[in-house]
Amino acid sequence: MEIDLVAENKQIVLKSYVNGSPVETDMELKLGNRVKLEAPKGSKGVLVKNLYLSCDPYMRGRMQDFHASYIPPFTPGSVIEGFGVSKVVDSDDPNFKKGEFVTGLTNWEEYTLILKTGQLRKIQQDDAIPLSYHVGLLGMPGITAYAGFYEVCAPKKGDYVYVSAASGAVGQLVGQLAKLHGCYVVGSAGTSHKVHLIKNKLGFDEAFNYKEELDLEAALARYFPQGIDIYFDNVGGSMLDAALANMRVHGRVAVCGMVSQNSRTDKQSFSHMFSVISKRITIKGFLQSDFTELYPRFLEDITGFYKQGKIVYIENMNDGLETAPAAFAALFSGKNVGKQVIRVASE
């Protein structure tokens, strides 16, 4: 007689649509769900145990009742979806075997039945690289930084590069890649602790706390008296406007994120858009999914840089699925440092 293996499956659900920045109480821990520890025959799916879950700013957009984006919104009352690192418990897909580690989109819960297995990537385990890095340095934020810097920014040795949110999951890598490329790099962040990390751990040439600056345009002019060749923008708003005022002729702006914009109804005005004409500035938005063909090269390059000690990566690890709502909300209050990860279970 066959015994069905069943386990409790704690989940994090979105209570209702959010307008503005998410707070911890917009999400809740749901208990009482149980899951069969098998991938149903004929499903072509894989059942995984989630080990690490990624908190990423783009997920805020999925919490809003907005259906015209590049990715659909979450459904209120349903479990939240995001990138994760997981271990295969059972598989009905011949490409995946029990015990393998995978990364891709999963749910904020202990176990997930993944039916869209084409988006999963197997992880080749390497003792020198933590598994959690596959949602950070070697995951979506990493390829975002890599493609954004090398492809969108088109850097040249000696370029003057400015990175906002420079201690975050993406910004910290952009700045280090720029330094390796022979650029002069300045980063900004919102606390003195982050500024210290940017300069002393990440190796940027300079860094400043934007909250201590009364005039962002003047602050950038102070750090870039020659002007800015490349602005890697993670925040939008008044910082983007200030950067436009300080760009050099043929400057490039890679628009990666707009964390300063609380909602799509926020009105923003720009005083320096004429600079785009007079200085022939290129402003380009992008998604990491535009550059999937770069992934093998990215993986090889970044793994090599990390193992050679040429780059470091800062993680902010929270233990336990129940910590996920507070950890995610911290992305928008400036409390987290580096790449925010939830450890659901140890491997």
Side-chain angles (χ1 to χ4, degrees):
M1 186 173 122
E2 221 175 88
I3 299 172
D4 285 339
L5 289 172
V6 177
E8 187 185 356
N9 192 27
K10 289 187 283 191
Q11 299 177 314
I12 302 293
V13 302
L14 178 69
K15 285 157 74 172
S16 59
Y17 283 127
V18 174
N19 186 27
S21 289
V23 294
E24 186 178 347
T25 51
D26 290 322
M27 298 153 273
E28 65 181 349
L29 179 68
K30 190 175 176 185
L31 304 172
N33 281 318
R34 297 180 70 75
V35 61
K36 262 192 185 182
L37 297 182
E38 65 176 34
K41 298 290 175 278
S43 68
K44 300 293 185 191
V46 294
L47 184 83
V48 299
K49 179 179 183 179
N50 294 314
L51 305 178
Y52 298 98
L53 297 174
S54 179
C55 294
D56 296 300
Y58 83 90
M59 296 167 69
R60 174 174 67 174
R62 300 194 69 186
M63 293 182 168
Q64 297 170 357
D65 190 8
F66 183 74
H67 296 258
S69 185
Y70 61 92
I71 190 167
F74 296 136
T75 303
S78 295
V79 65
I80 288 169
E81 180 186 64
F83 289 101
V85 170
S86 314
K87 188 174 186 178
V88 177
V89 174
D90 190 37
S91 175
D92 191 50
D93 183 328
N95 296 309
F96 297 96
K97 295 180 177 59
K98 181 179 178 179
E100 290 181 330
F101 293 97
V102 296
T103 183
L105 285 171
T106 187
N107 289 340
W108 279 23
E109 57 191 354
E110 292 174 290
Y111 297 92
T112 301
L113 176 64
I114 298 174
L115 298 175
K116 293 180 180 177
T117 57
Q119 52 91 16
L120 292 175
R121 180 176 59 80
K122 286 187 196 180
I123 294 172
Q124 303 303 322
Q125 273 189 279
D126 187 325
D127 290 341
I129 296 177
L131 269 178
S132 58
Y133 277 22
H134 289 274
V135 290
L137 180 66
L138 299 178
M140 184 273 289
I143 185 71
T144 299
Y146 184 89
F149 180 64
Y150 290 121
E151 301 296 318
V152 180
C153 295
K156 299 185 292 290
K157 187 177 179 180
D159 276 348
Y160 295 93
V161 177
Y162 171 49
V163 184
S164 54
S167 67
V170 175
Q172 61 173 306
L173 182 55
V174 172
Q176 292 180 87
L177 294 177
K179 284 300 298 175
L180 288 173
H181 202 72
C183 301
Y184 176 81
V185 188
V186 177
S188 62
T191 70
S192 55
H193 173 57
K194 290 178 183 179
V195 168
H196 176 81
L197 287 173
I198 292 165
K199 285 163 62 172
N200 298 293
K201 188 174 177 72
L202 300 174
F204 286 46
D205 293 289
E206 281 291 349
F208 67 93
N209 183 346
Y210 71 90
K211 291 180 180 175
E212 293 176 352
E213 300 292 343
L214 296 174
D215 184 335
L216 293 176
E217 187 180 332
L220 289 177
R222 196 167 73 242
Y223 286 99
F224 293 99
Q226 310 89 339
I228 301 167
D229 290 298
I230 290 170
Y231 172 37
F232 197 99
D233 183 21
N234 290 304
V235 300
S238 56
M239 188 65 85
L240 173 57
D241 198 33
L244 289 176
N246 283 279
M247 298 299 290
R248 301 178 85 183
V249 171
H250 299 303
R252 286 88 73 204
V253 179
V255 182
C256 176
M258 296 217 165
V259 78
S260 72
Q261 191 173 344
N262 275 325
S263 75
R264 290 182 175 82
T265 56
D266 282 359
K267 285 188 167 62
Q268 297 196 16
S269 61
F270 287 82
S271 306
H272 301 293
M273 286 303 289
F274 187 74
S275 297
V276 177
I277 301 170
S278 62
K279 296 179 182 175
R280 285 84 83 200
I281 298 166
T282 300
I283 304 175
K284 185 171 182 180
F286 71 101
L287 300 174
Q288 56 88 24
S289 53
D290 298 335
F291 299 98
T292 49
E293 77 284 356
L294 288 184
Y295 196 83
R297 193 178 90 202
F298 152 75
L299 204 58
E300 184 181 348
D301 286 352
I302 299 302
T303 300
F305 288 154
Y306 181 75
K307 287 184 173 180
Q308 293 159 33
K310 291 181 177 179
I311 57 174
V312 297
Y313 201 65
I314 302 169
E315 265 189 336
N316 198 2
M317 184 73 73
N318 284 50
D319 273 308
L321 183 66
E322 65 279 2
T323 68
F328 182 71
L331 289 178
F332 306 99
S333 63
K335 289 177 185 172
N336 83 299
V337 181
K339 170 65 196 157
Q340 183 66 62
V341 183
I342 311 300
R343 185 191 285 115
V344 182
S346 56
E347 57 258 34

